Amino acid sequence: MTNVLSQFSTATLHEALGRIGNLPSVIKPISPGMRLCGPAYTVQTMPRDNKILHRAYANAKAGDVLVASCSGFYESGYWGDLMSLGAQTRGLAGLVIDGCVRDADDIEAMGFPVFSRGLCIRGTTSFEDGTLNQPIVIGGVIIYPGDIIVGDRDGIMVVPQARIQEAIEKATAREAREEAIRQQLRQGKTSVEIYGWE
């Protein structure tokens, strides 16, 4: 199912599921070409603390996407190149973090998908407060372990486990409708004509 979902854009999935499941628009890939898709391994950190993130990538399974909430504190670089290398070596599909990261050039060079609020050089502490693989909330969206996370240049979409098949079916139908519209546009019709807004 993950392989099928990865074929759709986040915008298509968002529309297909009734415009729900999108994380805050500020969370973007650190490099525009980065994409990810996989089941969520959720992490809750405390402000300025990242030790739990080290444990997260060590415990997550190959193919998982780490999804981290940083308790609303953004002025630290919670993740860097060494953690990216460790996670990539273990086969993780990427990181989505409601916070900042650092070492962006090195992470980009290794090709490990990282989606974050931005970049910050400020370091973190290591007290290991937080939770692993428990439900978290980012931007009003509840993310459960195992929900499918899809990321592209436009942003991040959360597909609940119970709606994966529905998402695939509705996204497929939507893409078929949009291709029909593209064909009409190529024939010279305007979108105003196609949608009957004249």
Side-chain angles (χ1 to χ4, degrees), residues 50-69:
N50 82 337
K51 191 174 182 180
I52 198 80
L53 279 166
H54 289 267
R55 292 208 180 274
Y57 89 75
N59 286 294
K61 297 176 183 176
D64 283 350
V65 174
L66 296 185
V67 185
S69 167

Side-chain angles (χ1 to χ4, degrees), residues 3 7-8 14 25 34 40 70 75 91 94 104 113 116 138 152 182:
N3 288 339
Q7 299 172 17
F8 301 109
H14 182 243
S25 61
M34 289 180 170
C70 299
E75 288 299 315
S116 72
I138 296 178
D152 58 24
R182 289 187 191 98

Side-chain angles (χ1 to χ4, degrees), residues 26-67:
V26 69
I27 300 176
K28 290 290 192 295
I30 63 171
S31 178
M34 289 180 170
R35 296 177 61 93
L36 56 74
C37 183
Y41 187 96
T42 53
V43 188
Q44 179 73 52
T45 77
M46 295 297 104
R48 289 197 68 191
D49 188 76
N50 82 337
K51 191 174 182 180
I52 198 80
L53 279 166
H54 289 267
R55 292 208 180 274
Y57 89 75
N59 286 294
K61 297 176 183 176
D64 283 350
V65 174
L66 296 185
V67 185

Side-chain angles (χ1 to χ4, degrees), residues 30 79-81 84 102-112 114:
I30 63 171
W79 184 273
D81 65 316
S84 293
R102 59 186 187 178
D103 305 324
D105 287 343
D106 293 329
I107 297 171
E108 182 178 359
M110 72 177 70
F112 183 72
V114 170

Side-chain angles (χ1 to χ4, degrees), residues 63-196:
D64 283 350
V65 174
L66 296 185
V67 185
S69 167
C70 299
S71 300
F73 187 86
Y74 308 127
E75 288 299 315
S76 280
Y78 290 87
W79 184 273
D81 65 316
L82 298 181
M83 298 169 79
S84 293
L85 179 58
Q88 184 180 57
T89 302
R90 294 183 61 81
L92 272 64
L95 168 74
V96 175
I97 184 166
D98 189 21
C100 289
V101 301
R102 59 186 187 178
D103 305 324
D105 287 343
D106 293 329
I107 297 171
E108 182 178 359
M110 72 177 70
F112 183 72
V114 170
F115 288 64
S116 72
R117 278 186 171 261
L119 307 177
C120 181
I121 59 175
R122 185 180 184 187
T124 55
T125 56
S126 299
F127 295 121
E128 203 178 346
D129 285 328
T131 63
L132 290 177
N133 230 22
Q134 298 294 320
I136 61 173
V137 178
I138 296 178
V141 177
I142 302 175
I143 305 164
Y144 295 92
D147 286 346
I148 303 300
I149 308 301
V150 183
D152 58 24
R153 188 175 183 179
D154 288 342
I156 294 290
M157 178 66 190
V158 179
V159 179
Q161 291 183 72
R163 300 188 69 185
I164 293 173
Q165 188 59 43
E166 176 191 355
I168 292 171
E169 292 173 1
K170 290 184 175 179
T172 300
R174 179 178 175 80
E175 286 201 338
R177 289 193 302 272
E178 290 196 340
E179 182 54 34
I181 292 171
R182 289 187 191 98
Q183 291 179 14
Q184 293 180 72
L185 290 169
R186 292 185 188 108
Q187 293 166 4
K189 287 189 177 181
T190 67
S191 52
V192 173
E193 292 174 308
I194 294 168
Y195 295 131

